[in-house]
Amino acid sequence: MVSIKEVAKHAGVAISTVSKVLNGYPNISEKTRAKVEGAIRELNYIPNSIASALSSKQFGRVALILDPKRQTQAIDQIFMQYLLGALDKAKELNLEAVTIFTSMIAGMNAEEITRHFMSQSISGIIIYGLSKEDKVLQKLIHGQEFSCVVVDAPIVNERTTSVSIDHEQAQYDVAKKTIMDDNCKRVLYIAGRKDGYVTQQRLSGMKRLAQEMDLAMFVRQGDFSERTARNIALKYAKNKDIVVCASDLMAIGAMNALIDMDIFRPVCGFDGITLMGYVGKQMNTIRQDFYSISSHAVEEVDRLMSGESGREVLLPHSIVKMYYKDIIC
Amino acid sequence: MVSIKEVAKHAGVAISTVSKVLNGYPNISEKTRAKVEGAIRELNYIPNSIASALSSKQFGRVALILDPKRQTQAIDQIFMQYLLGALDKAKELNLEAVTIFTSMIAGMNAEEITRHFMSQSISGIIIYGLSKEDKVLQKLIHGQEFSCVVVDAPIVNERTTSVSIDHEQAQYDVAKKTIMDDNCKRVLYIAGRKDGYVTQQRLSGMKRLAQEMDLAMFVRQGDFSERTARNIALKYAKNKDIVVCASDLMAIGAMNALIDMDIFRPVCGFDGITLMGYVGKQMNTIRQDFYSISSHAVEEVDRLMSGESGREVLLPHSIVKMYYKDIIC
DNA sequence: CTGTTAGCGCGTTCAA
DNA sequence: TTGAACGCGCTAACAG
């Protein structure tokens, strides 16, 4: 391991001078800068990020907190997109992203998690899909010890930024399009889990649409579960004109129920996972660009870490159908 | 941030004494050990892992190198299982796992990657699904600068351990079971990508079976692509009795081709991804426990980092069918 | 503009 | 058995 010391010796300057060119300080003459850069290149020197962090107390480490506990591996795609987006952007911004699954911090209280992160020199966190009932993470956020970005939860404070699409509008959009295509009046809406922030937002979008289009809407909690949605559809879909679901997985469950019942109703989903392409019937759905969302989340946490204050960031969405021919490769 | 200094003061001992109890040194009297541990608990002290690493030069950081570049997000499940298994075990062994996607090191040569990892104080790496053609990673492995575990590649040296299931036997097993169920003679085998180590191993298993059962075997490269497998099936399946595929994704492609052609042939796959449960027809497949494989990989890298030498580790597999009712929740 | 110096938090000799 | 002192590789005042 070649260290800054050797570079300094090689270039015939002081250690601190090397450090300064490394960190882009202004007061360095072109001549010495060139000398130092030459030495760096010759020796193939790469600064030791650990030592640098320890010394500067600027760690630039951010924790990505993901909760893939749900057995439903069909949505692992979402988490992978989150990870890819975050890691790519982190690399670009010269941050270190640490992947944390909630199983790893289960059973800890907010203080313990705080200390745990501190000891790992983590100064920023991104929480994906926070639950309303997660008192521990809530406390962590409100404690404001870390720069924090929450994806899909409308929490904003001095050190917390919220990033997501406009779920209210998106649910409105996709349902409206599907309803207009088939001129439906009686709607079965299968909502998400009560403890999810987006559940409420999406439901609001539906309510607005129902009012506006004078629809008869019947709502049931599907808990984001394919099986539950399936059972709800089996029970209630018959005398409805359309089934609107708050997630693709539930849409698939509902669609399979309809097929089993041998009746047809338009169904629409939410998320845009590729699994939709494997289901026989095509459905409208909201495509969320999870890669981009996560990428923005990292940008925002970087922004917070450099002292700016929290804000709300809304990203665009679109309505799509997933076709088998498009998703296979 | 409470530091070792405060603990020392609080306990009325020297910093070095605290350090010694922290690291389980022998020569500490019970009395002082108790004092120190008391202070640690009272102050909720957690050692700063960064500083500890810098000082000891033992970093215990391992890079998980994953290559999810393929668009096929249907197999993200596999990567998530790899990650979950690795991170859980890393936590257990007190290692820090760093998630690296190949996109992040694309375009670097072996030396650059080495320095990049060194600068990040990474001393162990786990490579998932190494390609035969990946000269850069090959060089990294053979350079033996890092403790290295390769998953699904038969490379072993002083500092390299290989972890995988017995692909040869697994392919033999699943094909044999499927063939025996239906008493087939003419086999279409859709193999993987030429540059994959497992492709060769699985093919060997098929060849052994073909010899043993006196089968007529017709082999085509499916490149692990659903679409390619589909096309191969469209072209060649008609006058065969069975289609054996080297991956689930290809099995799904082949099965969909058969459905389009409106003919039935038994198909079997390899991997055990849940997507199989969404396909109408059930197929035999090899279930690989990716979580466990990855978990073992971390154990092995830990073993290597503590000085032991490389070896080959073979993990068990099983034959299963994925049923829709089992995978939805 | 450059070099000297003092830490960052901790591990590890070596005396005492 | 304990503690003072040094150093890991680097950054950040401060002095020159």
Side-chain angles (χ1 to χ4, degrees), chain A residues 104-322:
Chain A
M104 298 158 72
I105 52 174
M108 294 193 201
N109 62 38
E111 266 188 32
E112 286 167 333
I113 296 178
T114 301
R115 289 205 312 279
H116 181 246
F117 283 174
M118 294 266 203
S119 86
Q120 301 218 65
S121 309
I122 286 170
S123 48
I125 61 183
I126 298 176
I127 302 175
Y128 297 87
L130 175 68
S131 153
K132 281 185 187 173
E133 305 304 324
D134 194 329
K135 298 306 178 198
V136 172
L137 287 184
Q138 299 272 357
K139 196 170 167 197
L140 198 67
I141 294 168
H142 292 296
Q144 302 196 28
E145 300 261 17
F146 303 97
S147 296
C148 181
V149 171
V150 282
V151 172
D152 283 349
I155 303 180
V156 173
N157 63 40
E158 191 53 34
R159 298 200 66 189
T160 308
T161 283
S162 136
V163 172
S164 74
I165 66 167
D166 183 340
H167 291 275
E168 200 268 354
Q169 185 65 42
Q171 184 68 85
Y172 174 97
D173 288 345
V174 70
K176 181 168 188 179
K177 175 169 173 46
T178 312
I179 287 169
M180 305 261 282
D181 285 351
D182 288 82
N183 192 22
C184 313
K185 274 300 170 194
R186 298 167 304 169
V187 179
L188 171 58
Y189 181 63
I190 305 184
R193 231 189 345 250
K194 222 173 52 211
D195 65 359
Y197 290 97
V198 295
T199 299
Q200 191 54 49
Q201 296 167 354
R202 294 178 192 172
L203 181 58
S204 299
M206 275 312 285
K207 284 186 175 158
R208 176 157 64 93
L209 181 68
Q211 183 133 42
E212 204 175 297
M213 298 185 71
D214 196 28
L215 306 169
M217 186 165 72
F218 183 76
V219 179
R220 277 289 173 276
Q221 300 284 339
D223 295 336
F224 293 127
S225 151
E226 187 171 354
R227 185 186 298 278
T228 306
R230 174 188 163 78
N231 292 335
I232 291 172
L234 286 173
K235 198 160 168 189
Y236 301 110
K238 188 134 190 140
N239 62 345
K240 303 291 183 298
D241 303 319
I242 180 176
V243 183
V244 177
C245 299
S247 81
D248 282 349
L249 221 47
M250 294 198 295
I252 291 169
M255 180 57 87
N256 280 332
L258 294 172
I259 291 172
D260 286 358
M261 295 193 292
D262 201 27
I263 63 180
F264 174 77
R265 299 287 183 279
V267 174
C268 68
F270 202 113
D271 282 340
I273 61 177
T274 55
L275 184 58
M276 288 290 262
Y278 286 88
V279 180
K281 282 285 174 195
Q282 259 75 49
M283 304 172 247
N284 288 323
T285 190
I286 287 295
R287 181 178 129 75
Q288 296 197 64
D289 186 341
F290 298 105
Y291 181 96
S292 161
I293 289 171
S294 194
S295 178
H296 276 87
V298 172
E299 273 181 4
E300 290 300 321
V301 86
D302 185 49
R303 193 172 158 281
L304 288 170
M305 290 195 301
S306 56
E308 307 204 41
S309 39
R311 60 176 176 179
E312 184 180 8
V313 175
L314 280 188
L315 266 21
H317 61 264
S318 56
I319 303 177
V320 297
K321 281 189 167 70
M322 313 291 292

Side-chain angles (χ1 to χ4, degrees), chain A residues 4 16 19 25 45 48 55:
Chain A
I4 197 173
S16 59
S19 174
Y25 275 53
Y45 167 72
N48 181 319
S55 178

Side-chain angles (χ1 to χ4, degrees), chain B residues 170-188:
Chain B
Q171 185 67 84
Y172 174 97
D173 289 345
V174 70
K176 182 166 186 179
K177 174 168 174 45
T178 312
I179 286 169
M180 304 261 283
D181 285 352
D182 289 80
N183 192 23
C184 313
K185 273 299 171 196
R186 297 167 303 170
V187 179
L188 170 59

